[in-house]
Amino acid sequence: MPHRRVRRKASHISLGVDIVEWKKAKIFYETHRVRLGSFLTVPERRFVENERRPYEGLAMIFAAKEAVFKALGASWMGVDGFRRIKVRPVSPKIFSYHPSRGQKLRITFKKSDRHVLACCGPLSVMTL
Amino acid sequence: MNQAQVREDIIKNVNAIISQALKVDEAKIQPNSSLIRDLGAESIDFLDIVFRLEKAFKIKIPKGELFPEKILTDSRFVKNGHVTAAGVEELKQKMSNVNWTEFAKNPLVSNLGNLFTVGMIVDYLSDKLQTASK
């Protein structure tokens, strides 16, 4: 069954920020590696597997999806949110998300020793 | 194994899984412990817990069966971040063991996660495994 895409009018889109601990993503990756295909798209999965440390790619994907969810002001992320929100890695440090035709959100990242922080917002804001 | 033993077994396994997933001491885990409020679960943890439960109990947990997600993403049941009266009725049917009185006073979607308890998972698995064994 096709997944529903989370849609929001442009006026309802704000900034969304999320932070994920590398360690948490590492444990998740090591425990559920074979299950990644059940909630990641092919490009998302490819991004994870192409990273030198795949769990870091996974942490970025998790943080990006949660940041999109927050930017859209959606009511409940839950388990299914990780499937419904499909991000597109466009470069090692920039992802995009298209809530509807003509709309584009950009997701950028900041990394520290312990965490990755994702920030998501409309393209016009994120390129300032 | 009788029903009581099966349930004890489920409780033991669920507590171990939650302890591993959320990195909390098993002694802290009680049937009425809220996964979010008391044990600090985040969205990723829900995904982790579902995968661990599926593996440990050799079952498939269909989308929205354990945590009522379809209701929370349905515009008939959620408006402006609040669960509508119709949504609360739907949730009552899905989660019959929950005390809804407090939630209904301020039915914010963001408060709903506090109602997802360890006991709710145990009840779900007990029903599911019982149905599967018939």
Side-chain angles (χ1 to χ4, degrees):
Chain A
M1 203 172 80
H3 299 302
R4 279 181 298 131
R5 182 175 279 197
V6 179
R7 291 174 189 275
R8 281 291 183 277
K9 287 180 184 171
S11 57
H12 294 168
I13 296 172
S14 51
L15 288 178
V17 177
D18 192 69
I19 188 163
V20 170
E21 209 181 354
W22 298 125
K23 193 175 157 193
K24 193 168 206 168
K26 186 171 190 282
I27 294 170
F28 191 100
Y29 181 79
E30 287 167 356
T31 314
H32 306 301
R33 186 180 174 180
V34 294
R35 303 293 304 270
L36 296 187
S38 68
F39 67 95
L40 296 184
T41 62
V42 172
E44 288 169 355
R45 207 170 155 191
R46 198 178 297 136
F47 177 82
V48 171
E49 298 298 348
N50 286 344
E51 283 288 290
R52 194 163 61 89
R53 287 190 282 262
Y55 69 85
E56 291 190 1
L58 184 62
M60 289 171 73
I61 298 274
F62 276 143
K65 286 178 185 245
E66 292 248 28
V68 167
F69 162 76
K70 289 172 183 172
L72 298 177
S75 55
W76 179 253
M77 178 75 178
V79 175
D80 196 42
F82 290 105
R83 296 189 181 101
R84 281 184 288 119
I85 296 171
K86 299 169 185 178
V87 293
R88 196 174 301 172
V90 289
S91 80
K93 286 186 177 176
I94 297 173
F95 290 4
S96 69
Y97 178 78
H98 300 254
S100 60
R101 188 188 289 265
Q103 284 186 313
K104 197 170 180 182
L105 301 186
R106 175 172 278 191
I107 304 135
T108 58
F109 301 91
K110 290 271 182 211
K111 298 177 182 180
S112 74
D113 290 348
R114 290 182 58 193
H115 304 95
V116 58
L117 181 140
C119 184
C120 170
L123 190 59
S124 54
V125 174
M126 299 299 286
T127 46
L128 289 176
Chain B
M1 235 195 278
N2 64 33
Q3 265 191 21
Q5 287 171 318
V6 171
R7 192 171 169 87
E8 270 308 304
D9 203 39
I10 292 172
I11 292 170
K12 208 173 112 188
N13 276 303
V14 166
N15 287 357
I17 285 170
I18 289 173
S19 167
Q20 285 164 9
L22 303 181
K23 305 280 174 288
V24 290
D25 193 328
E26 271 195 59
K28 268 189 172 181
I29 302 170
Q30 299 297 320
N32 62 353
S33 300
S34 159
L35 295 175
I36 296 175
R37 190 188 52 220
D38 302 324
L39 304 175
E42 300 170 353
S43 301
I44 301 169
D45 298 315
F46 282 86
L47 195 60
D48 186 17
I49 289 168
V50 166
F51 286 165
R52 285 176 191 263
L53 291 172
E54 287 184 333
K55 194 173 175 185
F57 291 93
K58 298 182 175 60
I59 54 169
K60 176 84 190 120
I61 299 175
K63 194 166 74 179
E65 201 177 86
L66 175 54
F67 304 112
E69 307 191 30
K70 281 180 188 167
I71 294 171
L72 300 178
T73 52
D74 188 324
S75 57
R76 289 174 301 164
F77 301 135
V78 174
K79 283 201 169 47
N80 302 322
H82 286 72
V83 182
T84 62
V88 173
E89 284 309 310
E90 281 286 315
L91 287 167
K92 279 181 185 173
Q93 288 184 17
K94 289 279 278 181
M95 298 159 66
S96 54
N97 297 329
V98 169
N99 180 357
W100 290 99
T101 318
E102 231 11 74
F103 177 77
K105 287 178 190 167
N106 185 21
L108 276 170
V109 175
S110 52
N111 288 341
L112 194 72
N114 292 333
L115 300 178
F116 296 156
T117 61
V118 176
M120 186 187 109
I121 296 176
V122 171
D123 289 342
Y124 166 79
L125 290 169
S126 300
D127 289 348
K128 190 160 180 91
L129 295 174
Q130 204 174 3
T131 310
S133 68
K134 278 180 187 169

